[in-house]
Amino acid sequence: MTSRLIIETDQLARAFGDVVAVDGLCLQVRPGEIFGLVGPDGAGKTTTIRLLAAIMDPTGGSARVAGFDTVTEPEPIKRRIGYMAQRFNLYGDLSVWENLNFFADVFEVAGSERRERIERLLNFARLTEFRDRRAAHLSGGMQKKLALACTLIHTPEIIFLDEPTTGVDPVSRREFWGILTDLHLEGITLVISTPYMDEAERCSRVGLMYQGSLVVCDTPERVKAMTRGELIALWPSDPRRAKDILARHGEVLEVQTYGDQLRLFVRDAGSAMGWIDTALAAHGVEVLEMRPTRPRMEEAFISLIQGRMASEGS
Amino acid sequence: MLNRIWQLIIKEFIQLFRDRLMAPFVLLGPLTELLMIAWSTSQGIDHLPTAVLDLDQSNASRGLITAMVNSETFDPYFVASFDEITEEIDRGRALVAWTIPRGFQTQLLDLSGDAPAVQVIVDGADVVAAQTAAEVAQGVVASYGQQVAVQSSPAAAGLFPLDVSLRVWFNEEMKESNYMIPSELGFIAAAITAMVASMAIARERELGTLEQLMVTPLRSVELVIGKSVMAVALGYTEFLLMLGMVVWLFDVPMRGSYPLLMVLALLYMLVELGWGLMISAVARTQMQALLIAFAVIMVMIIFSGYAFPVETMPRFMQIIANFFPLKHWLVVFRSILLKGAGVSVFWRELLAIAGLGAAIYTGTVLLLRRRRLQ
């Protein structure tokens, strides 16, 4: 079983002084997966990715990537992985082509293979016509694509992407994910951290991080099924009052607000459809629209985090 | 490995010449600075504006004034009262004032009486000019007095048997510029090397590209070597440019061996490069690197004997001064330049530089090893 894992961590931990960023993380990634790391800001996603990319040493536990230990054997790992940091980490004063060329040089990609590969990556990232433009003068989306192209120059087996689409417009995001899907189909393992729940849904499996460790780690379908009860979407005339009234009701497990919409987790959606109307009418709140629905990643995420926070608070 | 370092160096130079400020700043800045220092120090102290109050109005007083003009240190102009002298000095129009008393000629020729006193006031606010003015004034008065005495009574000539014969070696004209310019040159090149190296690595850290380089097969040793080669190349080019300018343009003598100087300068630059690398291990941003580098350079200058002679420092400070390679290098550099000396003369200084270099690099390696990332 172990041989089928491409990334495996054992009680991985990293502290910065008194602050524990990653705390006893046990993570398993199979070859060819798109593995999504989700979690609130400060959950330890970036630190985890740096630990796995062997550019930071853990303060506890260990990690094996592509069969090598990140502390004792970082060099073979570096040749097998690509790492794309959250920040733009290329040379802004070099052109697109010069950046690709430089990384080809340091990875010792040489000869005709190198020329052919650079051309292919430029084409792949749709940057061919911008090859002579300085990286600093590219748009945010194009910079991300260039960064991805640079991490692919040595055809890595695993790619780590730290919030690659943060600050990118929706059209570029979609295009970027198109490229990631192509890589996935080529059999490359992708480990990606993201704050976007729609991106989490595209992953083979997601790990939900909270305060340095994994709360849940499963397929998006199963994670969504972990929420308690059934979900109802409700548009009341006065959402604030409706929320107060319903939160006190014994049948209601959890209430989440999305603008004018309330999303209620109840024990039984069928019966709830009946009594919600009357309960709100008694307080003069009108139901504009109401229907049973399936939980999205976002509800599951908030519900799991809130559950974890509540259990720590008690 | 060599190929990776070579590619890194190429990248560094592309970036250097694409940066509109860095290349001119590094190459032309120090050259201009040295040019200005050379110009200003190669002017001797002479033609100081001098107010003269001649209360005697005699042949003797006019003779003294002529002697004063001939010294070329003073440019005299006449004032009519002592109040005017005060005002001229107060307003800074005169740096020196001479007062020749009434009865100067009578007293001068009366060998049996007291010698006449000429009052010379100098503006002490400008210390260097004041010292020169005071020394020259004493000389002028003394030699004029002797001349008059000899003329009036040839027998008395024997009363002035003493004559100091002063010879200055290595800097015959006592040109301040022959001291200042080599010192300035010797340290600017090293400072540039240290500064460029520290900023080059801090820049990668600040912009995040260091993080990207860490996931490549490029080792930190290779990175440090690549950056160092660029820094030394720049510093050494600067050194050669400045040396050429100083020797051809400002006639600073070069009496020693050029090959010896070239080799030792390169070795010394490698030692000071260690400072830069040490700073780069600590600084997170280019701004921090620059500020720390400036602080280090300031301390270096103070203890190098460049700004103040080490010999006049308190004993404790003299001991500390020995811990700065710059102090020893300036001795070596001036010995080659002005004295044409060889290794046999300054081997102690060379040993000191080598020892300090080893210490600096040990410290740098220890510091770098401590911080891999963050």
Side-chain angles (χ1 to χ4, degrees):
Chain A
M1 185 70 196
T2 317
S3 60
R4 291 193 44 217
L5 295 172
I6 196 161
I7 297 172
E8 192 177 17
T9 73
D10 179 29
Q11 293 294 323
L12 192 68
R14 169 73 203 205
F16 299 96
D18 293 336
V19 182
V20 181
V22 174
D23 189 6
L25 183 77
C26 294
L27 186 74
Q28 297 181 329
V29 178
R30 295 182 207 114
E33 275 191 316
I34 302 185
F35 187 88
L37 267 180
V38 296
D41 286 342
K45 303 189 294 286
T46 296
T47 308
T48 303
I49 287 185
R50 283 180 172 169
L51 290 171
L52 294 178
I55 53 175
M56 189 186 270
D57 285 341
T59 46
S62 65
R64 294 187 79 78
V65 173
F68 299 97
D69 186 277
T70 55
V71 178
T72 57
E73 306 160 295
E75 295 307 323
I77 293 179
K78 286 178 183 177
R79 295 192 176 270
R80 287 170 174 78
I81 65 159
Y83 166 66
M84 184 175 152
Q86 190 172 352
R87 235 175 84 186
F88 178 66
N89 271 356
L90 300 177
Y91 297 99
D93 43 6
L94 297 186
S95 70
V96 167
W97 187 83
E98 284 165 336
N99 266 297
L100 280 165
N101 208 41
F102 173 70
F103 283 99
D105 283 327
V106 285
F107 277 108
E108 290 164 331
V109 180
S112 61
E113 190 191 356
R114 159 225 195 90
R115 206 168 313 124
E116 182 244 322
R117 210 179 280 174
I118 289 178
E119 289 305 327
R120 197 167 56 83
L121 284 171
L122 279 172
N123 185 40
F124 182 63
R126 290 127 182 138
L127 285 170
T128 310
E129 57 182 304
F130 301 106
R131 56 186 300 152
D132 293 322
R133 189 180 287 192
R134 299 214 185 151
H137 298 160
L138 295 173
S139 72
M142 287 199 278
Q143 287 184 340
K144 297 283 184 185
K145 287 189 290 182
L146 174 60
L148 181 62
C150 285
T151 65
L152 293 172
I153 195 83
H154 57 299
T155 50
E157 298 166 27
I158 312 168
I159 305 172
F160 295 98
L161 303 113
D162 191 4
E163 300 199 6
T165 56
T166 301
V168 173
D169 71 82
V171 176
S172 302
R173 247 176 78 190
R174 180 170 288 272
E175 192 187 0
F176 193 86
W177 268 92
I179 296 174
L180 292 187
T181 309
D182 290 346
L183 293 173
H184 175 57
L185 294 176
E186 284 176 29
I188 295 172
T189 310
L190 297 160
V191 176
I192 178 166
S193 79
T194 176
Y196 299 116
M197 291 305 134
D198 59 320
E199 293 187 355
E201 303 229 21
R202 293 167 176 259
C203 296
S204 327
R205 285 195 307 141
V206 287
L208 173 57
M209 279 193 86
Y210 181 68
Q211 295 196 340
S213 54
L214 281 182
V215 177
V216 184
C217 181
D218 219 322
T219 61
E221 286 311 311
R222 288 232 192 94
V223 171
K224 284 186 278 187
M226 279 175 200
T227 49
R228 300 165 302 163
E230 293 171 348
L231 188 65
I232 291 175
L234 169 71
W235 284 264
S237 59
D238 185 344
R240 278 186 60 183
R241 281 195 64 199
K243 187 183 178 189
D244 289 340
I245 296 159
L246 294 170
R248 287 196 302 268
H249 201 283
E251 286 288 309
V252 176
L253 301 167
E254 193 178 326
V255 187
Q256 293 179 9
T257 323
Y258 290 88
D260 288 342
Q261 184 194 163
L262 293 184
R263 296 181 75 90
L264 308 173
F265 287 96
V266 293
R267 291 187 204 287
D268 177 28
S271 67
M273 297 285 280
W275 60 255
I276 285 174
D277 230 348
T278 36
L280 290 180
H283 291 87
V285 178
E286 203 183 327
V287 173
L288 304 175
E289 195 184 337
M290 178 163 64
R291 58 164 183 259
T293 185
R294 282 163 46 79
R296 299 171 302 185
M297 206 58 196
E298 192 150 350
E299 280 93 32
F301 174 78
I302 294 172
S303 177
L304 287 162
I305 294 285
Q306 281 179 345
R308 177 55 77 102
M309 282 164 74
S311 69
E312 274 174 10
S314 62
Chain B
M1 172 171 171
L2 280 179
N3 182 51
R4 284 199 297 264
I5 296 177
W6 178 239
Q7 298 304 336
L8 183 71
I9 294 171
I10 292 178
K11 186 214 74 161
E12 289 298 320
F13 275 99
I14 294 179
Q15 285 186 301
L16 177 74
F17 289 110
R18 216 159 264 184
D19 192 324
R20 286 209 191 109
L21 281 176
M22 196 67 175
F25 168 76
V26 168
L27 286 174
L28 297 180
L31 219 52
T32 319
E33 190 189 340
L34 186 64
L35 198 66
M36 288 192 287
I37 288 179
W39 261 330
S40 52
T41 58
S42 61
Q43 307 300 318
I45 294 169
D46 49 20
H47 298 285
L48 304 173
T50 305
V52 175
L53 177 60
D54 184 0
L55 296 171
D56 200 42
Q57 301 280 356
S58 60
N59 279 333
S61 68
R62 278 188 290 276
L64 179 61
I65 292 164
T66 310
M68 180 212 290
V69 173
N70 289 342
S71 75
E72 293 198 349
T73 303
F74 306 100
D75 273 357
Y77 62 95
F78 291 98
V79 294
S81 70
F82 199 79
D83 287 345
E84 257 186 86
I85 283 188
T86 318
E87 196 176 318
E88 293 298 300
I89 299 252
D90 275 353
R91 305 209 165 211
R93 286 198 287 259
L95 284 173
V96 191
W98 290 54
T99 308
I100 303 169
R102 202 158 279 144
F104 174 73
Q105 181 167 321
T106 325
Q107 269 184 301
L108 191 66
L109 295 175
D110 177 10
L111 290 172
S112 58
D114 290 336
V118 174
Q119 186 193 46
V120 179
I121 299 170
V122 292
D123 180 356
D126 185 345
V127 180
V128 183
Q131 273 171 352
T132 311
E135 281 162 20
V136 177
Q138 280 175 347
V140 168
V141 172
S143 69
Y144 181 67
Q146 184 182 358
Q147 190 191 329
V148 171
V150 172
Q151 278 168 0
S152 61
S153 143
L159 292 174
F160 301 94
L162 273 180
D163 186 16
V164 177
S165 160
L166 180 68
R167 277 194 65 200
V168 179
W169 282 15
F170 308 127
N171 186 4
E172 290 79 0
E173 304 126 279
M174 280 285 268
K175 270 166 70 179
E176 197 188 2
S177 54
N178 280 358
Y179 179 81
M180 288 292 283
I181 296 175
S183 308
E184 185 71 21
L185 197 169
F187 114 85
I188 290 185
I192 288 289
T193 311
M195 217 182 288
V196 169
S198 68
M199 283 181 66
I201 296 177
R203 177 192 170 98
E204 300 262 356
R205 186 174 283 139
E206 182 179 345
L207 298 179
T209 44
L210 188 63
E211 192 180 357
Q212 204 62 52
L213 290 180
M214 286 177 83
V215 285
T216 70
L218 191 77
R219 286 159 206 260
S220 41
V221 182
E222 296 168 12
L223 178 74
V224 169
I225 294 176
K227 297 274 177 179
S228 302
V229 167
M230 185 197 62
V232 171
L234 274 179
Y236 202 64
T237 309
E238 189 69 32
F239 175 76
L240 297 180
L241 283 175
M242 290 193 296
L243 187 67
M245 185 178 86
V246 155
V247 172
W248 302 121
L249 217 59
F250 290 97
D251 293 329
V252 170
M254 169 57 192
R255 296 180 175 130
S257 137
Y258 272 106
L260 180 69
L261 180 61
M262 305 282 188
V263 171
L264 293 182
L266 188 61
L267 289 179
Y268 168 68
M269 230 162 251
L270 291 177
V271 168
E272 295 291 9
L273 172 74
W275 279 117
L277 298 180
M278 196 186 268
I279 292 167
S280 74
V282 186
R284 290 177 166 276
T285 63
Q286 294 181 81
M287 184 63 95
Q288 280 182 5
L290 196 63
L291 290 177
I292 301 174
F294 264 123
V296 171
I297 289 166
M298 286 304 166
V299 177
M300 260 164 56
I301 292 177
I302 290 173
F303 285 110
S304 66
Y306 160 49
F308 321 104
V310 178
E311 292 73 23
T312 62
M313 290 181 186
R315 182 104 197 92
F316 175 65
M317 292 299 182
Q318 289 193 27
I319 292 168
I320 292 185
N322 284 318
F323 288 100
F324 291 87
L326 178 60
K327 184 206 161 193
H328 306 290
W329 165 242
L330 290 185
V331 173
V332 172
F333 188 40
R334 279 196 294 255
S335 299
I336 297 177
L337 217 57
L338 302 178
K339 303 184 189 173
V343 179
S344 59
V345 173
F346 46 70
W347 60 271
R348 280 184 212 84
E349 278 78 12
L350 286 184
L351 270 185
I353 293 174
L356 290 170
I360 293 172
Y361 274 91
T362 310
T364 304
V365 168
L366 290 177
L367 261 177
L368 277 175
R369 201 173 280 172
R370 264 191 48 219
R371 42 173 55 235
R372 216 168 133 206
L373 183 72
Q374 275 93 32

